[in-house]
Amino acid sequence: MLVGITILLVFQLVGEVTAYFLGGFVPGPVIGMAMAAIVLTLTKGSAFLQPAHERTIDTSKAILANLGVLFVPAGVGIIQHLDLIRDRGFALMAIVLLSTVITLTVTVWVFILVKRLSGGYAND
Amino acid sequence: MTDGLWVYLATSPLLWLAGTLVVWLAATGLSGLAPGNPLLNPIMISIAAIATVLCVTGIDYATYFEGAQFIHFLLGPATVALGIPLFEKLSLVKSNLVPMLSALVVGSFTAVGSTVFFSDLFGFSPEVVASMAPKSTTAAVAMAISSGLQGDPALTAAVVVLTGICGAIVVTPMMNAMRIKDFSARGFAVGLASHGIGTARAYSVDPVAGLFSGIAMGLNAVLTSLIVHLFL
């Protein structure tokens, strides 16, 4: 657990440093995510790094299995905007709902249609 | 005597850290009673329960966050952790590269464009429109984009969470109604539209959906930060 969380934090740290030099438009943790995938792929099969790989995978699975709880603290921040929600809550909800439904629909159909056109379902 | 204890505990980080975890466990237990029912979303239940307690007891958000920040902090390593399924299923990702990138570009423009269009239509101020524009991206990125656009990052955080919960609730019934069975496509759509909260939902439905959702969240964070100023 300690080895796994240390490896994840180091990737995040390297990601943050990279993000700083890139001007900050790509978030550090997202760079860390890409780096983790790349480094694990490049070092796959190394007997020396095998235990570190396994611990990183185990820790990641434990975190991802409880991903939802990590959004609760930020979400509770909604209590700072109760006045806006009281005055314009309906419009706010309508925008969020409409935009989310449209985005989900457009994204999933572009994915499916391009996959179909490029023969991605040929084996189904 | 008990008043003194409450005053002591209510301002200590321990109460709100332990409280958030206990509420979360209770909420997941509750949603486990009706597995697959998206309305019993444990994130929404937990936020509603804690927000109610804070409002009733008059504890401000800053005091709450002093305890809850230890949970909030793990969002960073959790984002890095999304790279691990990416590594484990690399060949599956590679074989879906063209559909993914096409859906990313069209989806990202749709997410920002529809948000700006509807917020203008409902007559919101430019500050609120700028705060809402990046709402499909993960909270940290959305807040950075919003402050760059002269928006209000605290409002952005609230709208981002609303968007996440909304997507997590509607995605499964919508995709089932459209008869979409490809979990890579379903996951990609919910990660793009509803960032990490959508990804948490996707992981609870299907591991492949979770994988593609995490990738979509990462890619959309990058693309949104590049295109959002085209709409404002």
Side-chain angles (χ1 to χ4, degrees):
Chain A
M1 185 70 188
L2 190 62
V3 173
I5 193 81
T6 306
I7 289 172
L8 293 180
L9 286 172
V10 169
F11 275 119
Q12 188 188 349
L13 186 62
V14 175
E16 297 287 2
V17 172
T18 312
Y20 177 83
F21 285 112
L22 288 177
F25 68 87
V26 187
V30 171
I31 298 176
M33 164 175 112
M35 282 180 166
I38 292 167
V39 171
L40 285 174
T41 306
L42 292 178
T43 58
K44 196 176 179 180
S46 150
F48 176 68
L49 291 172
Q50 186 62 27
H53 268 213
E54 280 168 14
R55 287 190 189 136
T56 311
I57 290 170
D58 289 346
T59 306
S60 298
K61 286 198 172 136
I63 293 181
L64 294 179
N66 297 289
L67 190 59
V69 69
L70 308 184
F71 296 96
V72 174
V76 174
I78 198 125
I79 62 169
Q80 294 171 297
H81 294 284
L82 291 179
D83 50 340
L84 185 70
I85 289 166
R86 190 168 49 231
D87 300 340
R88 306 294 311 268
F90 178 76
L92 217 58
M93 293 297 291
I95 294 165
V96 167
L97 183 64
L98 283 169
S99 151
T100 305
V101 166
I102 292 170
T103 304
L104 280 172
T105 309
V106 168
T107 308
V108 82
W109 279 113
V110 170
F111 192 110
I112 298 270
L113 290 177
V114 172
K115 192 164 171 177
R116 196 170 285 163
L117 289 174
S118 60
Y121 294 111
N123 300 324
D124 288 358
Chain B
M1 177 65 200
T2 50
D3 279 1
L5 180 65
W6 169 250
V7 169
Y8 168 66
L9 277 182
T11 52
S12 93
L14 175 64
L15 177 66
W16 302 114
L17 175 59
T20 303
L21 293 173
V22 168
V23 168
W24 169 257
L25 289 176
T28 48
L30 193 63
S31 64
L33 293 178
N37 184 344
L39 279 176
L40 284 180
N41 182 292
I43 301 172
M44 184 176 68
I45 297 171
S46 301
I47 292 171
I50 296 167
T52 307
V53 170
L54 294 180
C55 290
V56 169
T57 57
I59 304 290
D60 65 5
Y61 181 64
T63 307
Y64 166 75
F65 196 75
E66 254 178 67
Q69 62 174 322
F70 302 106
I71 299 168
H72 181 79
F73 179 80
L74 289 174
L75 277 174
T79 306
V80 177
L82 291 168
I84 277 68
L86 183 59
F87 148 73
E88 289 185 301
K89 304 243 169 58
L90 198 62
S91 60
L92 183 62
V93 175
K94 273 190 195 155
S95 65
N96 283 289
L97 205 57
V98 179
M100 263 171 51
L101 294 179
S102 319
L104 167 69
V105 173
V106 181
S108 194
F109 275 90
T110 307
V112 180
S114 62
T115 307
V116 171
F117 174 78
F118 287 119
S119 339
D120 279 338
L121 197 70
F122 279 95
F124 279 103
S125 70
E127 192 203 4
V128 175
V129 177
S131 306
M132 294 185 66
K135 72 178 179 35
S136 280
T137 65
T138 186
V141 180
M143 289 164 79
I145 293 173
S146 160
S147 55
L149 297 167
Q150 322 304 322
D152 172 3
L155 175 60
T156 301
V159 176
V160 164
V161 172
L162 271 182
T163 305
I165 292 173
C166 177
I169 289 176
V170 302
V171 62
T172 306
M174 259 182 72
M175 296 298 166
N176 288 345
M178 292 193 288
R179 295 175 199 284
I180 289 163
K181 297 191 181 77
D182 182 347
F183 275 100
S184 54
R186 290 169 65 134
F188 195 85
V190 78
L192 186 140
S194 297
H195 53 88
I197 297 179
T199 303
R201 169 70 190 170
Y203 267 110
S204 76
V205 173
D206 181 272
V208 170
L211 166 70
F212 280 87
S213 187
I215 297 168
M217 176 183 101
L219 293 176
N220 192 37
V222 176
L223 188 58
T224 301
S225 56
L226 295 175
I227 65 161
V228 70
H229 62 273
L230 299 175
F231 292 89
L232 292 159

